[in-house]
Amino acid sequence: MVHLSRRRFAASIASLAASTAFLPRFAGAQAPEFRIGALCPITGAGAQYGAGMQRAIQFAANQVNAAGGAAGRQLRVFTEDDQTQPEAGVLAAKKLIEVNQVQAVVGTWASGVTLAVIPMAVRANVLAMNVSGAPDISALHNDGMSWRFHPTNAEFGKAFAAVCAKQGYKRPALMGFNNAFGLGLTGGFQAAWEKGGGTIAGRVIYEPRRPSYRGEVQEILRAKPDVIVMGSYLADTTLIMREAFQEGYEGRWIMPGWSANDQLVAALGPQATEGVISMDTIPNEGSGAFKSFDDEYKRAMNVSGASNVFAAMSYDMVISLALALEAAGPSASPREIGQKMRLVANPDGTKVYGFAEGKDALKRGKINYEGASGALDFDEFGDVKGNFLMSVIEKGRLVRKDVVAG
Amino acid sequence: MDIVFIANLVVAGIVEGSLIALAALAMTLVFGVARFPNAATGDFMAFGAYAALMAYATAGLPIWLAAAIAIAATALLALVSYRFVFSKLLNRSPVANLLASIGVALIIRSALSWYFGSAQRTFSFPLVRSMNLGGIRIHPTDLAVVGVALAAMLVVFTLLYVTPLGRRMRAVADNPLLARASGIRSAYVMVALWLIAGGVSALAGVLLGVKAIVTPEMGFDVLLHIFTATVLGGIGNPLGAVVGGLVIGIAQELASPIVGASYKLAVGFVVLVALLLVRPQGLFGGAEVTR
């Protein structure tokens, strides 16, 4: 009995292996397919965005394929979960590169994961695209191998400082999650704030995944801040805000949008969250690219595409990558494709809002893809500038207030 | 640092420490009798927290009843894991059992995140400000956490040191062969052990969930603290585990203004290493557990 089932099992594995081995050969009748590895945070701190990002990458690839592929090549997406952890991310990237033989790894979210994956990808001559914020990532552009679709954390911190100055706060205190994002945001805030002549009342960098942050909160409250600037995520923010409320803090908060959201209100109630300032990178809501992204996103996820700016960025990764591939030609190497990114996305070209339109316009010259997530104009480090939406929680609801340019 | 600030840190340390102590108690019990570090302790906690959350938030039961249901459900889960996994490995090495417990942990965690999703949940009690006792701030939740944890430890200690069942458990812990020769049925002791370990873990999970948030990883995230407390107290020693938890909790809080909050976990290990250099068997560990 055991013998039989084991044999059957072995046979099924073998046939599975055989079928996947033959698949590319059938598919590659003309130009070989272009393989993309979608490496998104399906579990861990980024889990609330990862699934949507992965779907966006898939339907963007479907759109490209429906338009006849890029440079005659069909896109094929392989998916992996980076677990929002560098170790898991590196292992998954290794698998995508070595086993699936992808030519681009797109969709890394946490800075720690991105920082670990880029050098590996570059060594393997594979393009890397991320939505991370750590300033250090700018140094890994590698002449067009790594591209960032999200503004840097320092930019985030700068926008926070601008808002705090405008609101008239005098004693900001900083609390940062001990990772590239938390350090980058609080560092960017401090630099911008001190440049404007202000001083920081206090600063605490804390460890993730603690059962309590009471000691940290007590330390920051001793500085008597009028606003607490958070470089944080949802789980730690929930604990920190609850404990600060219990300790009697009555000042304001300013934090990224993934911390100050409906789930935070659900956890803490409207009283403790009243007046929290939420800063978000926002999608390019007026653009045609956003509309076609949004339509597909609603179909795939049953919620508005505006709820997941990272999915819009992931969508843009595939569309801009496909346009660059189209411009570089079917036999271009990943590096040659990377070097076409600015040609298809930066100003001076004809503005386009989707792959089919861009493919057509490319025949006549330079194009400027205006993405679903933003204008998508890359600087010399492969970074984009974002727009930040400032919202305030009023009676348990996020109310849009202002757009701050990055 | 003024005295009020230090006192507040000590309070924070005691609250966190008693949570860790309760979970460490569950771990050390299993170690004392079944002789392996149960890596699924944290995930029993998470299971208990979700069970209580279901009973409290979904079924609308009062929190004490929800906690009781969680304790029963997790005790049953622990018994099931004993029946189908650990009972098969009774005479294997501790490493085999440890690896099996990691497997059980992964299964529980994956099942939780599959069924409940990875988004955080909370027991939504209305927020209230802490009491201010001359600058020392004490929150009702903290009082409840410490009170319930202490009461649970008291119950477990009574069970261990007063009842015949406890005597049998301690006999098996001291010397399984001699215990069997004296007519103690080890199967019976094992069932009791796993029920208690599951129940205690569940209660620790519910308290942690009430104080913090409920996620599938919540128990795994504190597992390192639990291990540290268990080793610090002397592996297999129930009183040691409790004291170890409190020592770790208070030491971490007191040290963090000096070394920085990001080195909290490291402080726990420094305390552990320093103690093990002086007392290799841990705070309360006897010679027999160090062999």
Side-chain angles (χ1 to χ4, degrees):
Chain A
M1 202 39 209
V2 173
H3 229 78
L4 186 66
S5 65
R6 192 178 288 164
R7 193 180 299 158
R8 200 181 286 163
F9 177 71
S12 62
I13 290 291
S15 62
L16 191 74
S19 65
T20 46
F22 284 122
L23 215 66
R25 270 177 233 175
F26 288 125
Q30 322 101 22
E33 64 191 15
F34 187 87
R35 297 178 166 207
I36 296 175
L39 185 55
C40 304
I42 306 300
T43 55
Q48 47 178 329
Y49 303 107
M53 292 170 67
Q54 194 182 75
R55 291 300 288 270
I57 291 167
Q58 278 163 330
F59 64 64
N62 292 343
Q63 284 183 356
V64 171
N65 290 341
R73 297 173 72 173
Q74 293 282 303
L75 305 187
R76 183 162 170 209
V77 177
F78 294 85
T79 58
E80 278 295 329
D81 176 14
D82 69 26
Q83 300 176 27
T84 328
Q85 284 177 7
E87 303 83 356
V90 163
L91 285 177
K94 207 168 154 65
K95 181 254 173 189
L96 287 168
I97 292 169
E98 289 175 2
V99 179
N100 302 124
Q101 310 209 316
V102 301
Q103 284 136 309
V105 173
V106 308
T108 52
W109 182 81
S111 293
V113 175
T114 298
L115 283 165
V117 166
I118 293 175
M120 245 184 92
V122 171
R123 266 199 308 280
N125 192 26
V126 165
L127 288 164
M129 296 182 167
N130 69 79
V131 295
S132 305
D136 310 2
I137 294 169
S138 303
L140 299 177
H141 182 48
N142 280 299
D143 197 21
M145 291 304 284
S146 152
W147 299 87
R148 182 199 323 241
F149 288 69
H150 185 277
T152 69
N153 298 328
E155 288 282 324
F156 233 113
K158 225 167 86 186
F160 277 40
V163 167
C164 283
K166 205 169 157 187
Q167 300 281 320
Y169 295 125
K170 296 279 178 276
R171 298 183 56 79
L174 313 177
M175 288 193 83
F177 194 94
N178 189 12
N179 69 359
F181 160 70
L183 294 169
L185 188 146
T186 49
F189 183 95
Q190 189 163 358
W193 189 258
E194 285 171 353
K195 207 169 146 195
T199 48
I200 301 295
R203 182 166 189 257
V204 169
I205 299 298
Y206 59 86
E207 274 301 283
R209 299 192 292 274
R210 302 260 322 141
S212 163
Y213 289 103
R214 195 161 142 183
E216 287 85 342
V217 166
Q218 282 166 345
E219 199 178 332
I220 215 76
L221 294 190
R222 268 158 58 91
K224 307 218 179 315
D226 55 4
V227 62
I228 299 178
V229 180
M230 301 281 284
S232 62
Y233 298 96
L234 178 62
D236 37 302
T237 303
T238 308
L239 264 62
I240 287 171
M241 279 193 69
R242 183 196 283 153
E243 283 166 338
F245 181 90
Q246 291 169 349
E247 296 292 309
Y249 178 61
E250 286 178 348
R252 289 301 187 92
W253 300 85
I254 179 167
M255 59 185 68
W258 52 78
S259 300
N261 58 17
D262 298 343
Q263 286 188 62
L264 185 74
V265 177
L268 299 177
Q271 191 198 348
T273 51
E274 182 68 23
V276 169
I277 302 171
S278 165
M279 297 287 288
D280 239 328
T281 43
I282 40 169
N284 201 3
E285 286 178 1
S287 86
F290 180 78
K291 194 183 173 316
S292 66
F293 156 76
D294 190 36
D295 289 348
E296 292 266 14
Y297 195 83
K298 274 183 192 137
R299 210 167 303 146
M301 306 294 290
N302 266 327
V303 286
S304 158
S307 64
N308 190 344
V309 67
F310 302 106
M313 292 168 186
S314 306
Y315 174 85
D316 285 342
M317 287 176 186
V318 177
I319 302 296
S320 58
L321 175 62
L323 287 170
L325 171 59
E326 179 75 30
S331 54
S333 69
R335 182 170 292 278
E336 288 161 349
I337 296 168
Q339 280 158 353
K340 297 285 184 200
M341 286 287 287
R342 289 192 187 87
L343 181 89
V344 298
N346 281 15
D348 296 346
T350 319
K351 285 192 176 180
V352 298
Y353 302 93
F355 178 75
E357 186 191 356
K359 185 177 176 179
D360 200 43
L362 260 179
K363 293 177 188 137
R364 296 185 296 275
K366 277 179 76 173
I367 57 169
N368 175 13
Y369 174 57
E370 299 282 295
S373 62
L376 228 62
D377 299 330
F378 295 101
D379 67 9
E380 71 266 38
F381 304 110
D383 294 341
V384 294
K385 292 249 183 281
N387 287 329
F388 297 93
L389 172 69
M390 175 199 156
S391 310
V392 175
I393 300 181
E394 292 176 352
K395 298 192 177 69
R397 300 176 68 88
L398 270 173
V399 181
R400 290 183 165 212
K401 293 286 178 185
D402 198 4
V403 173
V404 187
Chain B
M1 282 204 289
D2 53 299
I3 192 81
V4 174
F5 181 54
I6 294 175
N8 271 318
L9 290 179
V10 171
V11 170
I14 290 174
V15 175
E16 200 179 317
S18 48
L19 267 174
I20 297 170
L22 192 58
L25 179 60
M27 180 177 282
T28 216
L29 280 176
V30 173
F31 195 93
V33 180
R35 305 228 163 248
F36 70 93
N38 177 18
T41 305
D43 300 280
F44 286 161
M45 291 169 68
F47 183 88
Y50 273 103
L53 194 66
M54 289 287 281
Y56 175 77
T58 314
L61 299 175
I63 184 67
W64 61 268
L65 189 57
I69 291 173
I71 290 171
T74 314
L76 201 67
L77 175 77
L79 189 62
V80 167
S81 66
Y82 167 69
R83 171 71 183 74
F84 290 101
V85 182
F86 301 117
S87 71
K88 316 281 185 203
L89 299 170
L90 275 182
N91 299 316
R92 300 293 185 83
S93 71
V95 175
N97 277 285
L98 169 65
L99 290 178
S101 75
I102 294 174
V104 169
L106 286 174
I107 292 170
I108 297 173
R109 206 178 315 148
S110 306
L112 288 176
S113 53
W114 172 75
Y115 188 77
F116 292 102
S118 48
Q120 67 177 41
R121 288 157 189 252
T122 45
F123 288 86
S124 14
F125 294 121
L127 287 190
V128 287
R129 306 269 188 194
S130 300
M131 295 174 278
N132 191 341
L133 309 174
I136 300 170
R137 292 185 164 271
I138 300 199
H139 194 261
T141 313
D142 294 339
L143 282 181
V145 165
V146 175
V148 172
L150 280 179
M153 290 174 211
L154 214 61
V155 169
V156 174
F157 280 110
T158 311
L159 214 60
L160 275 183
Y161 293 100
V162 178
T163 64
L165 168 68
R167 200 156 52 236
R168 289 194 200 108
M169 282 178 75
R170 284 181 294 129
V172 175
D174 278 349
N175 190 333
L177 283 178
L178 199 59
R180 192 184 297 170
S182 325
I184 294 173
R185 286 175 54 201
S186 70
Y188 168 69
V189 167
M190 283 300 188
V191 166
L193 165 74
W194 283 99
L195 287 175
I196 295 171
V200 172
S201 307
L203 188 60
V206 174
L207 292 177
L208 179 59
V210 167
K211 181 169 167 49
I213 51 173
V214 179
T215 66
E217 290 90 22
M218 61 182 280
F220 179 70
D221 288 342
V222 294
L223 190 64
L224 214 50
H225 299 87
I226 303 172
F227 265 129
T228 315
T230 309
V231 176
L232 188 69
I235 303 173
N237 185 299
L239 182 62
V242 171
V243 175
L246 287 169
V247 167
I248 297 266
I250 295 170
Q252 285 186 346
E253 290 303 323
L254 283 182
S256 72
I258 302 162
V259 298
S262 36
Y263 292 101
K264 255 186 187 176
L265 191 58
V267 169
F269 285 111
V270 169
V271 171
L272 180 66
V273 169
L275 183 98
L276 291 186
L277 284 175
V278 188
R279 266 185 80 83
Q281 69 272 43
L283 276 173
F284 294 84
E288 77 276 3
V289 282
T290 56
R291 79 196 147 181

